[in-house]
């Protein structure tokens, strides 16, 4: 048996920072229903998944004493660029 369809997703939290370009790009991709290219690596020069993702969750958390954060779920989506593995 050979799997013909594979799925990939990533869940992460980030600080709500409207001055950060990465935050703004992920927020805009979610609200505009557009794909965003991401590399999910295990370190600065590490290995991991590179693909175009569709954001399926963008939930804001209102902490009383800490920074406001957002929980993001991104899933690999169809695009002209095939997903690939970076590194060894």
């Amino acid at each position: 048996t050979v799997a013909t369809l594979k799925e990939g997703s990533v869940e992460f939290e980030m600080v709500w920072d409207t001055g950060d370009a990465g935050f703004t790009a992920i927020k805009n991709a979610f609200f505009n229903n557009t794909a965003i290219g991401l590399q999910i690596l295990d370190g600065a020069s590490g290995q991991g998944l590179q693909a175009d993702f569709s954001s399926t969750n963008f939930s804001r958390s209102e902490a009383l004493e800490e920074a406001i954060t957002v929980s993001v779920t991104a899933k690999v989506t169809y695009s002209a660029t095939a997903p690939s593995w970076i590194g060894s």
Side-chain angles (χ1 to χ4, degrees):
T1 302
V2 176
T4 57
L5 282 178
K6 296 186 181 190
E7 294 182 20
S9 68
V10 62
E11 295 180 19
F12 59 94
E13 288 191 4
M14 60 190 307
V15 174
W16 186 278
D17 181 0
T18 57
D20 179 65
F23 168 83
T24 299
I26 291 169
K27 176 184 66 74
N28 289 345
F30 175 76
F31 286 108
N32 295 326
N33 293 320
T34 55
I36 184 168
L38 299 174
Q39 286 185 346
I40 312 301
L41 306 178
D42 60 3
S45 296
Q47 60 178 318
L49 180 63
Q50 172 179 285
D52 288 339
F53 288 81
S54 176
S55 297
T56 60
N57 178 47
F58 192 83
S59 303
R60 186 169 149 161
S61 175
E62 303 280 342
L64 293 176
E65 296 181 11
E66 298 178 15
I68 297 172
T69 59
V70 63
S71 295
V72 178
T73 302
K75 296 187 176 188
V76 176
T77 191
Y78 176 79
S79 77
T81 305
S84 60
W85 190 260
I86 302 296
S88 304

